[in-house]
């Protein structure tokens, strides 16, 4: 049956029908049963998790935080005090436990959530599949021959399989939303700064922290816990004006206008995926009482701009000796990116920023007369677990980023976006619908995701195989 969701676990604890220790033990049992097949978790801290659970159980209910006793996994690109952070790289394979939590992880733990271990990413989060020479191949619970996506693939596999109620993620170009789409989960990329990212992202200002969940309500609750300013983060946003857990059921959607784009003007899309997502989009627009706006969404292929922007942050936080002398220790598919980025100059980076500004201007035109842009989350269903990124879609040759190119826009332009399950293919693989909102309107994205969740319910976990 898998683990309960976040809200369910909190309610079970509140009613005294379970204890935090029992929930953690249940999660550890699920890991033991499923992880050999999935490779979702790559480090465990059972003693620390059980000690934290006992501390929750010893705390009077009125003094517990909103997530007290809920087990979760932490993506191994994020720091969790007491556990190592390898970033899936042999550069950091022997690194000992870190001393501090990343801000978002710390807020979850301060709210009472219990970290049971670290979940697998690809090396440095480089790919939309989760495999690395250090940590091995992570597999999709819906079909273990397929990837759960990346870079938050271990988190997606763990939540979709029912191993933990939620797991952390971050999204620099779809790394939360793509795994959500591939595994039938809910994944939100908030605006940059909504959740502080100090010490995680730097100059590119692309990546946003977040989580993967089985329901929209759980996603909203976790955002309420993680959002808000932090004195160390110069780019963080003010505290939200209202709770997201309230907005998902009460936000007024009257007058909203939505448009649909299967391809954003350039993506090569599997026709089955496009059809599933357009049906879900029309269901959502009708159920929400929105106006459907027919219009072109004419972007040029911005995959290259996204890739170069991401390269701005590659060298921050790494001893130069690593990338100057030890590139041979990296995944052979990852190392060339470091060599290329090392040759960038400031004039080249200025040209990249100018290209980004043109994309922002085009997006501004699109959102001048619509409030919501609906697209497929990915161009294809989940591909081979071992990778590499596909270079053919429906018989047409494409570059390696094309299968997940729908995800880049929201990061480049700094818009909130959420992936929600749209349906399954004839092969039984999940497909996600992406809802992109106006800047700072995470509440609209979550509210619409909730409307679709109610209008077209989906399985909470991958079905038994």
């Amino acid at each position: 049956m898998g683990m309960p969701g976040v809200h369910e676990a909190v309610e079970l604890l509140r009613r005294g029908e379970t204890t935090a220790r029992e929930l953690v033990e249940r999660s550890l049992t699920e890991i033991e049963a499923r992880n050999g097949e999935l490779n979702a978790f790559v480090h465990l801290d059972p003693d620390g998790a059980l000690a934290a659970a006992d501390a929750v159980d010893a705390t009077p209910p009125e003094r517990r935080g909103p997530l007290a006793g809920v087990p979760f996994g932490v993506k191994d690109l994020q720091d969790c005090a007491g556990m190592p952070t390898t970033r899936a790289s042999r550069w950091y394979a022997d690194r000992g436990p870190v001393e501090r939590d990343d801000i978002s992880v710390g807020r979850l733990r301060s709210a009472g959530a219990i970290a049971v271990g670290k979940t697998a990413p690809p090396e440095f989060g480089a790919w939309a599949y989760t495999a690395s020479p250090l940590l091995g191949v992570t597999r999709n619970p819906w079909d273990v021959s397929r990837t759960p996506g990346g870079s938050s693939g271990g988190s997606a596999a763990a939540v979709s399989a029912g191993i933990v109620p939620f797991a952390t993620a971050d999204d620099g170009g779809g790394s939360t939303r793509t795994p959500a789409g591939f595994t039938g989960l809910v994944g939100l990329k908030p605006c940059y700064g909504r959740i502080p990212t100090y010490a995680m992202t730097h100059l590119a200002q692309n990546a946003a922290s977040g989580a993967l969940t089985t329901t929209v309500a759980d996603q909203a609750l976790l955002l309420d816990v993680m959002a808000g300013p932090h004195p160390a983060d110069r780019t963080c946003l003010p505290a939200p004006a209202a709770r997201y857990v309230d907005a998902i059921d009460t936000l007024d959607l009257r007058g909203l206008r939505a448009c649909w784009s299967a391809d954003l003007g350039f993506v090569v899309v599997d026709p089955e995926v496009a059809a599933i997502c357009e049906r879900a989009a029309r269901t959502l627009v009708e159920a929400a009482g929105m106006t459907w706006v027919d219009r072109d969404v004419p972007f040029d292929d911005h995959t290259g701009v996204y890739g170069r922007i991401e390269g701005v942050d590659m060298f921050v936080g790494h001893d130069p000796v690593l990338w100057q002398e030890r590139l041979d220790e990296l995944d052979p598919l990852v190392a060339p990116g470091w060599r290329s980025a090392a040759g960038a100059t400031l004039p080249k980076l200025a040209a990249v920023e100018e290209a980004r500004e043109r994309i922002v201007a085009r997006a501004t035109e699109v959102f001048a007369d619509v409030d919501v842009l609906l697209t497929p989350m990915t161009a294809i269903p989940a591909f081979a677990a071992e990778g590499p990124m596909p270079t053919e879609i429906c018989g047409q040759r494409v570059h390696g980023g094309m299968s997940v190119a729908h995800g880049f826009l929201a990061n480049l332009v700094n818009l909130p976006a959420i992936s929600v399950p749209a349906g399954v293919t004839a092969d039984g693989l999940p497909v996600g619908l992406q809802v992109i909102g106006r800047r700072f309107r995470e509440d609209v994205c979550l509210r619409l995701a909730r409307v679709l969740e109610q209008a077209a319910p989906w399985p909470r976990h991958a079905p038994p195989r």
Side-chain angles (χ1 to χ4, degrees), residues 95-460:
R95 186 183 189 185
V98 300
E99 296 181 356
R100 296 181 180 178
D101 296 322
D102 281 335
I103 293 172
S104 58
V105 174
R107 287 180 173 177
L108 294 167
R109 298 179 93 179
S110 293
I114 299 171
V116 297
K118 303 297 288 289
T119 61
E123 190 165 36
F124 300 118
W127 310 118
Y129 62 96
T130 297
S132 68
L134 178 66
L135 301 180
V137 178
T138 300
R139 300 183 179 276
N140 191 325
W142 289 75
D143 179 345
V144 294
S145 72
R146 309 293 183 112
T147 182
S151 62
S152 306
S155 289
V159 177
S160 181
I163 291 174
V164 284
F166 77 96
T168 69
D170 50 27
D171 190 317
S175 286
T176 298
R177 290 162 291 146
T178 293
F182 279 174
T183 60
L185 298 175
V186 182
L188 173 72
K189 184 206 81 69
C191 284
Y192 185 82
R194 180 65 69 201
I195 299 170
T197 56
Y198 174 74
M200 287 185 59
T201 60
H202 311 283
L203 300 175
Q205 298 190 1
N206 267 359
S209 298
L212 286 156
T213 63
T214 60
T215 70
V216 177
D218 288 356
Q219 190 71 216
L221 174 58
L222 296 178
L223 183 59
D224 279 329
V225 169
M226 291 186 285
H230 188 281
D233 193 326
R234 71 181 188 277
T235 62
C236 57
L237 297 175
R243 298 198 314 163
Y244 294 108
V245 290
D246 297 329
I248 61 171
D249 289 316
T250 63
L251 187 68
D252 189 356
L253 300 175
R254 287 176 297 182
L256 290 187
R257 301 153 298 173
C259 70
W260 157 257
S261 177
D263 62 6
L264 293 177
F266 72 92
V267 184
V268 178
V269 185
D270 182 316
E272 184 183 20
V273 169
I276 291 170
C277 290
E278 183 171 358
R279 285 196 298 272
R282 292 188 179 276
T283 297
L284 172 58
V285 169
E286 180 178 358
M290 292 191 290
T291 300
W292 182 282
V293 177
D294 284 315
R295 60 156 300 163
D296 291 331
V297 182
F299 288 94
D300 296 326
D301 189 345
H302 43 255
T303 306
V305 178
Y306 160 73
R308 290 189 291 275
I309 287 287
E310 281 287 284
V312 171
D313 286 343
M314 285 177 62
F315 302 92
V316 179
H318 300 288
D319 186 330
V321 171
L322 293 173
W323 56 269
Q324 290 171 350
E325 300 179 9
R326 295 174 57 184
L327 285 183
D328 60 332
E329 296 176 28
L330 300 185
D331 182 334
L333 295 177
V334 171
W338 286 76
R339 295 189 182 96
S340 175
T345 64
L346 290 179
K348 288 181 180 179
L349 294 178
V352 173
E353 182 57 29
E354 290 172 356
R356 184 183 198 166
E357 289 175 359
R358 291 192 290 273
I359 298 166
V360 172
R362 179 63 57 85
T364 302
E365 294 173 1
V366 170
F367 279 90
D369 59 1
V370 300
D371 304 283
V372 179
L373 174 59
L374 305 173
T375 80
M377 188 60 249
T378 58
I380 59 175
F383 50 89
E386 297 83 1
M389 300 292 294
T391 54
E392 183 178 300
I393 296 176
C394 296
Q396 182 172 336
R397 294 287 295 177
V398 296
H399 61 68
M402 185 65 78
S403 59
V404 294
H406 290 93
F408 303 150
L409 178 65
N411 299 88
L412 286 169
V413 181
N414 190 20
L415 299 174
I418 193 167
S419 179
V420 293
V424 295
T425 66
D427 291 333
L429 296 172
V431 172
L433 175 72
Q434 178 174 220
V435 180
I436 306 175
R438 290 177 179 267
R439 192 167 292 119
F440 310 136
R441 296 311 303 265
E442 292 90 348
D443 56 345
V444 171
C445 292
L446 287 162
R447 174 77 171 106
L448 291 173
R450 175 70 164 163
V451 169
L452 184 59
E453 179 182 52
Q454 293 173 327
W458 55 75
R460 218 163 50 78

Side-chain angles (χ1 to χ4, degrees), residues 50-63:
L50 290 168
D54 290 341
V56 168
D57 290 332
T59 302
E62 65 273 12
R63 292 174 50 196

